[in-house]
Amino acid sequence: MNLEAAKQVFYEESEELLAAMEAALLAVETSSGTQRAEHLNAMFRAAHTIKGSAGLFDLGEMVAFTHRCESLLDRLRENELALTADLIELLFACRDHMSAMLAAVHDKRAMPYSAALEAQLDAYLNQPADSSALPPARRPEAQVERQGSGEHGVASDYWHISLRFGPDVLRNGMDPISFVRYLGSLGRIVYITTLYDALPEPDQMDAESCYLGLEIQFAAAAHVDKLAIENVFDFIRDDSNVRILPPHAHIADYVRLIKEMPEGASRLGEILVRGGALTPLELDEVLGIQREQAEAGEHRQLGELLVEERLAPPQAVEAALDKQREQVAHKTREHRAVRVDAARLDGLIDLVGELVIAGAASQLFAKQIGNATLLESLSSLSELVERIRDEALSLRMVPVGDIFSRFPRVVRDAARELGKDIQLELAGEDTELDKSMVDKLGDPLLHLVRNAIDHGIESSELRRQRGKADYGTVWLNAYHESGSVVIEVGDDGGGMQRERIRVRAIERGLLGADEVIGDQALLQMVFEPGFSTADNVTSLSGRGVGMDVVKRNIEAMKGNIEIESMPGEGTVVRLRMPLTLAIIDGFQVALGKSTFVIPLDMVLECLDLPADTVAANRHYLNLRGEVLPFLNLRQLFEVGGIAPQRQAVVVVQYGSHRAGLVVDRLEGELQAVIKPLGQLFRGVKGLAGSTILGSGAVALILDVPDLIQRAAIDEQRRLAVSSQQEAKRLSLREENTR
Amino acid sequence: MPISSAYHHDRCALHLDGPLTIYEARQSKQRLLDELNLARELDIDLAGVSEFDTAGMQILLLLKREAGRLDKPLRFLGHSKAVLAVLDLYNLAGVFGDPVVLASGDEA
Amino acid sequence: MAVADSKKTILIVDDSASLRQVVHLALVEAGYAVIEAADGFEGLARLDGRRIHLIISDVNMPNMDGIAFVRAVKQLNDYRFVPIIMLTTEAQEDKKIEGQMAGAKAWVVKPFQPEQMLRAVSKLILP
């Protein structure tokens, strides 16, 4: 770990805190009472923590700004200021400014500065409090004394430090040993006298209390001043008696010192002389003055005035603490999180992948040897490996809520900008997907959400006309479905206007003027480059990426995108993403001498290929009354040799589509570590990757979504051909009948 | 802290083993005072004192003063490094009036 | 602080991971061993019998704040005399006093430089 790494953590953590602050800001508007207090507290804590960390990295400007935010939030917390809509706006702006500052630090750019923001903050900070707040109590300072009669200084070149420790210093963990040691680091301890006169009778003595006093002659190092010496005793000054006299302090100072210490003038005087603070002559003078004053009735002992302020905690607290302690173990299990560099995680997953392969190889060899005991122990080993694999993969998984959380703010801002009333509903935030995908999904989702707000949701009047609620609803939903993660962006707006898409598609030459096209295919047109049906480009969605970029981004992650839209009722854009990219449970099949792997979670069932299907040269099966198109993989991949007598069909599903894949043999389940395709196969369609089998042989992983699409297209083409033939036949017949 | 005692006529030899700090202070104080009250002469071997703090030192100061009051010979022996460091810091080695020697392997 | 030979162990309790890391780094460089915890609950869980020579605790933390944590530590037989440094801000004089009442007599004001923390620590224990 080094400072740069810590800085990285600082960025991430600050981002999280700013996100939490934003969530609290969004929620605080509509909250009240303890809930509101909690939100304010969360915001305060965010600013407070960022300030604290920024200080560590010496980010002065950031500390100064966050400090003002913190102070403002503190005033809000204390109800000194009322939380108005303007103030909430200001806090939003402050949050954004902090975020900008953070980005500047990260990119090593100049710190942004906003005079307007600072002025607004100052205006609130200088506003008098609603209720009168008492100024914070000042701690009494240790005094360096120089007053009274006896105006001339003593001969000693050293500082003199008198300490009488409070009874609780040891119990508080403040052992005088450590302070004396620390003092030693600021110079030289010339002489030290330990006073234990206050040690009581054995039965009176509490072994945990401190009864000591110290008289120290101290030669300070060159740079050490009064304040530095005072600071040594910061932590005990409140309950101990600390007197610091500079070199050549006045006689009068020593008079006061002796007067205030509990040991008595002659005893302390003797100690001061022995330590070298006073010469015998000086002591005589001190004692003389002291006697005069004592006779004048001024004598008092400070020791008597020492106050014992701490109280034993009441029994009720004890009981409450016991309960809290019970919860400790439970709570920590819930909240403990470890930050790990993503690269290290990937490294681990790579290794686990190798482990899976090595495990499979061992099992294969064991099978060849035929040693039952070995096989048994290897099988329990592979069970463990499987569990490690699952655990390791789950480490990469993060809840999709991590992306969703930015959208309340997006929707709020966009709605304001467009003057629309829009509510956002989030569902399935706990759905997990691969971390690397989470990072890449942010922008596409942002675009889709903005689109929904801008183009989807109608104006309030139109909504009223259509008998809908005044406020529009945009929702984000995520769930798992057959080995994929589905993310939906939906709205209850006007739906996509098919006529307009059609017109635009014809304009752009994507569609013939009279061409008939399926509904889904028409909707898919919006993903064509440069396609926009918006009448006017707004500042919101008209900028930045188009839908074509969204689609490309999704497909780059091996996901796909589909649109469902009902006129007048709304639109749902559905993203279907693979769960993970590293290791899959696979189903192994063989074609001739080659082995292929089908992702297991896409496999529905396996059956024998009916002989009549082959004979009839049909390309679809009757699967319990349902037409199932199938692909002959032998043909597709041009596998040599002759097909066996009986072939098998693997029924696969992706989304709502199904297809059958015809293979030679079924070889059972395996774990496949996905490796990229070699150069040789890169251009081949229908392959998603490769994997290494336990035997060391390479197997190819099938790209099921692609194959299903192919099967569907083939089927359509064949249908089209046959209907054309049908049409030809009909027209021939017509001609004949003429 | 474990304190073992061995009697030789009226003379008691105590061996302190482990930490002598505020955490053990109450127990240690009582045990040592009891031994002092029982014995006519007391030798306390500090060679085994692994940790030592101000609370520990106050107990030794108390014992020394009590022994003086009871007029019983009390000697501290084999001061461990931990003990010596604290005595030095407080400039109290002289107060104990013993020949302060470094802990060595052989018994005093 | 007792005088002993082995390396001193410091527990730092703060919800900011970056603050923990920087302080951790500075303390380890100065020769201390360091254990981290993100809040009071976790801090208490770390007090599992091992020797701790000093605790550094933030005041403002989720779940269990610094004051409640200090009160709890003071109830634990093996840890009740461990010196505790509270991390406060200048705006929180009341919190600082509350912390002192609870038994955390030392404090460092946030934001601070690592050297400031080291100074405060070395007033209480040595590596």
Side-chain angles (χ1 to χ4, degrees), chain C residues 103-117:
Chain C
K105 290 291 174 173
W107 67 91
V108 170
V109 176
K110 275 184 176 183
F112 56 84
Q113 294 287 301
E115 299 75 51
Q116 286 168 272
M117 175 56 75

Side-chain angles (χ1 to χ4, degrees), chain A residues 358-383:
Chain A
S362 315
Q363 271 192 316
L364 206 66
F365 294 142
K367 235 175 253 172
Q368 281 168 7
I369 296 165
N371 184 326
T373 333
L374 183 61
L375 264 173
E376 198 174 312
S377 78
L378 275 177
S379 111
S380 61
L381 185 69
S382 77
E383 211 169 283

Side-chain angles (χ1 to χ4, degrees), chain A residues 386 585-589 597-598 600 666-672:
Chain A
E386 210 167 297
D585 276 315
F587 189 74
Q588 191 175 328
V589 297
V597 175
I598 305 169
L600 189 63
L666 305 174
E667 296 192 331
E669 295 175 21
L670 86 164
Q671 294 192 335

Side-chain angles (χ1 to χ4, degrees), chain A residues 185-234:
Chain A
S185 71
L186 300 181
R188 184 169 58 91
I189 291 167
V190 179
Y191 199 86
I192 192 166
T193 309
T194 301
L195 298 164
Y196 52 100
D197 305 44
L199 207 61
E201 291 302 299
D203 53 341
Q204 300 288 313
M205 184 223 183
D206 181 342
E208 291 168 4
S209 291
C210 189
Y211 300 98
L212 300 185
L214 295 176
E215 296 292 330
I216 301 170
Q217 283 289 100
F218 180 63
H223 60 279
V224 174
D225 58 6
K226 170 187 106 183
L227 192 68
I229 299 176
E230 271 180 24
N231 284 346
V232 174
F233 306 103
D234 259 353

